[in-house]
Amino acid sequence: MNYAIEFPAIPVLPVAESNKTFPVGRIYCVGRNYAEHAREMGHDPEREPPFFFMKPADAIVQNGATLPFPRVTRDFHHEIEMVVAIGKGGADIPAGKALDHIYGYAVGLDMTRRDIQGEAKKMGRPWEMGKAFDHSAPCTAVKPVVMIGHPAKGAIWLKVNGAVKQKGDLSEMIWNVPEMIAYLSKLITLRPGDLIMSGTPAGVGPVRPGDQLEGHVDGVGDLAVTYAK
Ligand code: MN
């Protein structure tokens, strides 16, 4: 490619037990997809259609990293999520065919500047500066479907400095993975390399400089990151 400027390489995630990497295209995130979390955010978890927001691909941070603490927040929150890695694109994908479009799964964090997001909500403004900032998407290696199948139940949890803060089960999602793919692919054409962060269980809370975060999804993986002091 004969670019006119120097341009960073495409962000990638490792593929578990492989020397291949998964190129990251767009990152879509599902909001309020676990009833208990919807309640803790002050919403009635009735089955409204799912809604989506985005993070840039270069928000990806590799598993095991030590991260700079974002400076412009006084209320920085963790959201542990299962991540769906799209292998085959498409539009108007029926839920019954959605699983065929998935390459694999990972464990991710939808890091959130809750104060900035809250201000945006109040003002009727976009969420990006609360959600889509630098280093806001730590993520594990992708485990291919051929290795682990399609996890639809199993524990998802997050610990801060060894103490469990978030705990749930994948089966508690309001919109399951095939349904979210069906909805999202009505709104946009999914492309290979896209990631979908599938929502977070209850227990979101503050992260401080020096904190160690460990996240887990049964069968999918373990994520660990540390924030610089
Ligand atoms: Mn989230």
Side-chain angles (χ1 to χ4, degrees), residues 29-32 37 53 79 81 110 112 131 197 199-200:
C29 306
V30 186
R32 290 175 217 133
H37 172 62
F53 58 92
E79 294 192 1
E81 315 211 355
D110 166 15
T112 302
K131 286 288 196 179
M197 297 191 117
T200 199

mmCIF file with all atom_site columns, all heavy atoms in Angstrom, residues 29-32 37 53 79 81 110 112 131 197 199-200, ligand 1:
data_model
loop_
_atom_site.group_PDB
_atom_site.id
_atom_site.type_symbol
_atom_site.label_atom_id
_atom_site.label_alt_id
_atom_site.label_comp_id
_atom_site.label_asym_id
_atom_site.label_entity_id
_atom_site.label_seq_id
_atom_site.pdbx_PDB_ins_code
_atom_site.Cartn_x
_atom_site.Cartn_y
_atom_site.Cartn_z
_atom_site.occupancy
_atom_site.B_iso_or_equiv
_atom_site.pdbx_formal_charge
_atom_site.auth_seq_id
_atom_site.auth_comp_id
_atom_site.auth_asym_id
_atom_site.auth_atom_id
_atom_site.pdbx_PDB_model_num
ATOM   1   N  N   . CYS A 1 29  ? -20.629 -2.749  20.583 1.00 0.00 ? 29  CYS A N   1
ATOM   2   C  CA  . CYS A 1 29  ? -20.917 -3.124  21.964 1.00 0.00 ? 29  CYS A CA  1
ATOM   3   C  C   . CYS A 1 29  ? -22.424 -3.089  22.170 1.00 0.00 ? 29  CYS A C   1
ATOM   4   O  O   . CYS A 1 29  ? -23.090 -2.147  21.708 1.00 0.00 ? 29  CYS A O   1
ATOM   5   C  CB  . CYS A 1 29  ? -20.265 -2.142  22.941 1.00 0.00 ? 29  CYS A CB  1
ATOM   6   S  SG  . CYS A 1 29  ? -18.494 -1.922  22.692 1.00 0.00 ? 29  CYS A SG  1
ATOM   7   N  N   . VAL A 1 30  ? -22.934 -4.102  22.861 1.00 0.00 ? 30  VAL A N   1
ATOM   8   C  CA  . VAL A 1 30  ? -24.359 -4.159  23.194 1.00 0.00 ? 30  VAL A CA  1
ATOM   9   C  C   . VAL A 1 30  ? -24.543 -3.533  24.565 1.00 0.00 ? 30  VAL A C   1
ATOM   10  O  O   . VAL A 1 30  ? -23.810 -3.857  25.502 1.00 0.00 ? 30  VAL A O   1
ATOM   11  C  CB  . VAL A 1 30  ? -24.860 -5.619  23.226 1.00 0.00 ? 30  VAL A CB  1
ATOM   12  C  CG1 . VAL A 1 30  ? -26.376 -5.667  23.432 1.00 0.00 ? 30  VAL A CG1 1
ATOM   13  C  CG2 . VAL A 1 30  ? -24.473 -6.350  21.957 1.00 0.00 ? 30  VAL A CG2 1
ATOM   14  N  N   . GLY A 1 31  ? -25.520 -2.633  24.672 1.00 0.00 ? 31  GLY A N   1
ATOM   15  C  CA  . GLY A 1 31  ? -25.796 -1.987  25.959 1.00 0.00 ? 31  GLY A CA  1
ATOM   16  C  C   . GLY A 1 31  ? -26.793 -2.792  26.774 1.00 0.00 ? 31  GLY A C   1
ATOM   17  O  O   . GLY A 1 31  ? -27.658 -3.462  26.214 1.00 0.00 ? 31  GLY A O   1
ATOM   18  N  N   . ARG A 1 32  ? -26.666 -2.722  28.094 1.00 0.00 ? 32  ARG A N   1
ATOM   19  C  CA  . ARG A 1 32  ? -27.659 -3.287  29.034 1.00 0.00 ? 32  ARG A CA  1
ATOM   20  C  C   . ARG A 1 32  ? -28.236 -4.626  28.591 1.00 0.00 ? 32  ARG A C   1
ATOM   21  O  O   . ARG A 1 32  ? -29.429 -4.754  28.349 1.00 0.00 ? 32  ARG A O   1
ATOM   22  C  CB  . ARG A 1 32  ? -28.829 -2.304  29.209 1.00 0.00 ? 32  ARG A CB  1
ATOM   23  C  CG  . ARG A 1 32  ? -28.467 -1.070  29.975 1.00 0.00 ? 32  ARG A CG  1
ATOM   24  C  CD  . ARG A 1 32  ? -29.634 -0.083  30.016 1.00 0.00 ? 32  ARG A CD  1
ATOM   25  N  NE  . ARG A 1 32  ? -29.132 1.275   29.926 1.00 0.00 ? 32  ARG A NE  1
ATOM   26  C  CZ  . ARG A 1 32  ? -29.630 2.217   29.124 1.00 0.00 ? 32  ARG A CZ  1
ATOM   27  N  NH1 . ARG A 1 32  ? -30.671 1.964   28.354 1.00 0.00 ? 32  ARG A NH1 1
ATOM   28  N  NH2 . ARG A 1 32  ? -29.103 3.402   29.107 1.00 0.00 ? 32  ARG A NH2 1
ATOM   29  N  N   . HIS A 1 37  ? -27.799 -5.857  35.529 1.00 0.00 ? 37  HIS A N   1
ATOM   30  C  CA  . HIS A 1 37  ? -27.000 -4.674  35.200 1.00 0.00 ? 37  HIS A CA  1
ATOM   31  C  C   . HIS A 1 37  ? -27.904 -3.528  34.735 1.00 0.00 ? 37  HIS A C   1
ATOM   32  O  O   . HIS A 1 37  ? -27.683 -2.370  35.102 1.00 0.00 ? 37  HIS A O   1
ATOM   33  C  CB  . HIS A 1 37  ? -25.946 -5.000  34.148 1.00 0.00 ? 37  HIS A CB  1
ATOM   34  C  CG  . HIS A 1 37  ? -25.218 -3.790  33.629 1.00 0.00 ? 37  HIS A CG  1
ATOM   35  N  ND1 . HIS A 1 37  ? -24.444 -2.985  34.444 1.00 0.00 ? 37  HIS A ND1 1
ATOM   36  C  CD2 . HIS A 1 37  ? -25.167 -3.212  32.396 1.00 0.00 ? 37  HIS A CD2 1
ATOM   37  C  CE1 . HIS A 1 37  ? -23.945 -1.985  33.721 1.00 0.00 ? 37  HIS A CE1 1
ATOM   38  N  NE2 . HIS A 1 37  ? -24.375 -2.097  32.485 1.00 0.00 ? 37  HIS A NE2 1
ATOM   39  N  N   . PHE A 1 53  ? -23.379 0.583   20.624 1.00 0.00 ? 53  PHE A N   1
ATOM   40  C  CA  . PHE A 1 53  ? -22.448 1.706   20.469 1.00 0.00 ? 53  PHE A CA  1
ATOM   41  C  C   . PHE A 1 53  ? -21.124 1.110   20.012 1.00 0.00 ? 53  PHE A C   1
ATOM   42  O  O   . PHE A 1 53  ? -21.028 -0.114  19.846 1.00 0.00 ? 53  PHE A O   1
ATOM   43  C  CB  . PHE A 1 53  ? -22.322 2.508   21.773 1.00 0.00 ? 53  PHE A CB  1
ATOM   44  C  CG  . PHE A 1 53  ? -21.866 1.714   22.955 1.00 0.00 ? 53  PHE A CG  1
ATOM   45  C  CD1 . PHE A 1 53  ? -20.518 1.620   23.265 1.00 0.00 ? 53  PHE A CD1 1
ATOM   46  C  CD2 . PHE A 1 53  ? -22.780 1.043   23.768 1.00 0.00 ? 53  PHE A CD2 1
ATOM   47  C  CE1 . PHE A 1 53  ? -20.090 0.877   24.362 1.00 0.00 ? 53  PHE A CE1 1
ATOM   48  C  CE2 . PHE A 1 53  ? -22.353 0.303   24.870 1.00 0.00 ? 53  PHE A CE2 1
ATOM   49  C  CZ  . PHE A 1 53  ? -21.012 0.227   25.156 1.00 0.00 ? 53  PHE A CZ  1
ATOM   50  N  N   . GLU A 1 79  ? -16.298 -3.209  32.979 1.00 0.00 ? 79  GLU A N   1
ATOM   51  C  CA  . GLU A 1 79  ? -17.436 -3.999  32.484 1.00 0.00 ? 79  GLU A CA  1
ATOM   52  C  C   . GLU A 1 79  ? -16.851 -5.231  31.799 1.00 0.00 ? 79  GLU A C   1
ATOM   53  O  O   . GLU A 1 79  ? -16.305 -5.131  30.702 1.00 0.00 ? 79  GLU A O   1
ATOM   54  C  CB  . GLU A 1 79  ? -18.286 -3.198  31.484 1.00 0.00 ? 79  GLU A CB  1
ATOM   55  C  CG  . GLU A 1 79  ? -19.004 -2.005  32.082 1.00 0.00 ? 79  GLU A CG  1
ATOM   56  C  CD  . GLU A 1 79  ? -20.059 -1.414  31.129 1.00 0.00 ? 79  GLU A CD  1
ATOM   57  O  OE1 . GLU A 1 79  ? -20.240 -1.953  30.024 1.00 0.00 ? 79  GLU A OE1 1
ATOM   58  O  OE2 . GLU A 1 79  ? -20.682 -0.405  31.524 1.00 0.00 ? 79  GLU A OE2 1
ATOM   59  N  N   . GLU A 1 81  ? -17.010 -8.623  29.692 1.00 0.00 ? 81  GLU A N   1
ATOM   60  C  CA  . GLU A 1 81  ? -17.949 -9.052  28.651 1.00 0.00 ? 81  GLU A CA  1
ATOM   61  C  C   . GLU A 1 81  ? -17.375 -10.220 27.839 1.00 0.00 ? 81  GLU A C   1
ATOM   62  O  O   . GLU A 1 81  ? -16.163 -10.314 27.663 1.00 0.00 ? 81  GLU A O   1
ATOM   63  C  CB  . GLU A 1 81  ? -18.235 -7.879  27.681 1.00 0.00 ? 81  GLU A CB  1
ATOM   64  C  CG  . GLU A 1 81  ? -18.494 -6.578  28.432 1.00 0.00 ? 81  GLU A CG  1
ATOM   65  C  CD  . GLU A 1 81  ? -19.438 -5.601  27.762 1.00 0.00 ? 81  GLU A CD  1
ATOM   66  O  OE1 . GLU A 1 81  ? -19.856 -5.857  26.623 1.00 0.00 ? 81  GLU A OE1 1
ATOM   67  O  OE2 . GLU A 1 81  ? -19.759 -4.582  28.428 1.00 0.00 ? 81  GLU A OE2 1
ATOM   68  N  N   . ASP A 1 110 ? -15.121 -3.709  28.575 1.00 0.00 ? 110 ASP A N   1
ATOM   69  C  CA  . ASP A 1 110 ? -15.663 -2.468  28.018 1.00 0.00 ? 110 ASP A CA  1
ATOM   70  C  C   . ASP A 1 110 ? -15.419 -1.396  29.079 1.00 0.00 ? 110 ASP A C   1
ATOM   71  O  O   . ASP A 1 110 ? -16.290 -1.069  29.873 1.00 0.00 ? 110 ASP A O   1
ATOM   72  C  CB  . ASP A 1 110 ? -17.161 -2.675  27.721 1.00 0.00 ? 110 ASP A CB  1
ATOM   73  C  CG  . ASP A 1 110 ? -17.902 -1.373  27.451 1.00 0.00 ? 110 ASP A CG  1
ATOM   74  O  OD1 . ASP A 1 110 ? -17.242 -0.344  27.216 1.00 0.00 ? 110 ASP A OD1 1
ATOM   75  O  OD2 . ASP A 1 110 ? -19.145 -1.402  27.478 1.00 0.00 ? 110 ASP A OD2 1
ATOM   76  N  N   . THR A 1 112 ? -15.068 2.020   30.908 1.00 0.00 ? 112 THR A N   1
ATOM   77  C  CA  . THR A 1 112 ? -16.046 3.104   30.772 1.00 0.00 ? 112 THR A CA  1
ATOM   78  C  C   . THR A 1 112 ? -15.706 4.268   31.696 1.00 0.00 ? 112 THR A C   1
ATOM   79  O  O   . THR A 1 112 ? -15.503 4.068   32.895 1.00 0.00 ? 112 THR A O   1
ATOM   80  C  CB  . THR A 1 112 ? -17.453 2.562   31.141 1.00 0.00 ? 112 THR A CB  1
ATOM   81  O  OG1 . THR A 1 112 ? -17.759 1.471   30.278 1.00 0.00 ? 112 THR A OG1 1
ATOM   82  C  CG2 . THR A 1 112 ? -18.523 3.635   30.995 1.00 0.00 ? 112 THR A CG2 1
ATOM   83  N  N   . LYS A 1 131 ? -16.903 6.003   26.329 1.00 0.00 ? 131 LYS A N   1
ATOM   84  C  CA  . LYS A 1 131 ? -16.775 4.581   25.982 1.00 0.00 ? 131 LYS A CA  1
ATOM   85  C  C   . LYS A 1 131 ? -15.657 4.272   24.993 1.00 0.00 ? 131 LYS A C   1
ATOM   86  O  O   . LYS A 1 131 ? -15.114 3.174   25.014 1.00 0.00 ? 131 LYS A O   1
ATOM   87  C  CB  . LYS A 1 131 ? -18.097 4.108   25.334 1.00 0.00 ? 131 LYS A CB  1
ATOM   88  C  CG  . LYS A 1 131 ? -19.258 3.922   26.309 1.00 0.00 ? 131 LYS A CG  1
ATOM   89  C  CD  . LYS A 1 131 ? -19.036 2.689   27.171 1.00 0.00 ? 131 LYS A CD  1
ATOM   90  C  CE  . LYS A 1 131 ? -20.312 2.247   27.871 1.00 0.00 ? 131 LYS A CE  1
ATOM   91  N  NZ  . LYS A 1 131 ? -20.090 1.025   28.695 1.00 0.00 ? 131 LYS A NZ  1
ATOM   92  N  N   . MET A 1 197 ? -18.965 -6.859  21.580 1.00 0.00 ? 197 MET A N   1
ATOM   93  C  CA  . MET A 1 197 ? -18.923 -7.021  23.039 1.00 0.00 ? 197 MET A CA  1
ATOM   94  C  C   . MET A 1 197 ? -20.368 -7.198  23.496 1.00 0.00 ? 197 MET A C   1
ATOM   95  O  O   . MET A 1 197 ? -21.221 -6.339  23.233 1.00 0.00 ? 197 MET A O   1
ATOM   96  C  CB  . MET A 1 197 ? -18.277 -5.806  23.694 1.00 0.00 ? 197 MET A CB  1
ATOM   97  C  CG  . MET A 1 197 ? -16.827 -5.612  23.285 1.00 0.00 ? 197 MET A CG  1
ATOM   98  S  SD  . MET A 1 197 ? -15.982 -4.367  24.303 1.00 0.00 ? 197 MET A SD  1
ATOM   99  C  CE  . MET A 1 197 ? -14.727 -5.366  25.060 1.00 0.00 ? 197 MET A CE  1
ATOM   100 N  N   . GLY A 1 199 ? -22.175 -7.349  26.260 1.00 0.00 ? 199 GLY A N   1
ATOM   101 C  CA  . GLY A 1 199 ? -22.850 -6.811  27.453 1.00 0.00 ? 199 GLY A CA  1
ATOM   102 C  C   . GLY A 1 199 ? -22.240 -7.340  28.732 1.00 0.00 ? 199 GLY A C   1
ATOM   103 O  O   . GLY A 1 199 ? -21.537 -8.360  28.727 1.00 0.00 ? 199 GLY A O   1
ATOM   104 N  N   . THR A 1 200 ? -22.514 -6.639  29.815 1.00 0.00 ? 200 THR A N   1
ATOM   105 C  CA  . THR A 1 200 ? -21.861 -6.950  31.084 1.00 0.00 ? 200 THR A CA  1
ATOM   106 C  C   . THR A 1 200 ? -22.867 -7.311  32.167 1.00 0.00 ? 200 THR A C   1
ATOM   107 O  O   . THR A 1 200 ? -23.967 -6.743  32.211 1.00 0.00 ? 200 THR A O   1
ATOM   108 C  CB  . THR A 1 200 ? -20.978 -5.760  31.539 1.00 0.00 ? 200 THR A CB  1
ATOM   109 O  OG1 . THR A 1 200 ? -20.025 -6.211  32.507 1.00 0.00 ? 200 THR A OG1 1
ATOM   110 C  CG2 . THR A 1 200 ? -21.792 -4.619  32.160 1.00 0.00 ? 200 THR A CG2 1
HETATM 111 MN MN  . MN  B 2 .   ? -20.645 -2.772  28.170 1.00 0.00 ? 1   MN  B MN  1
#
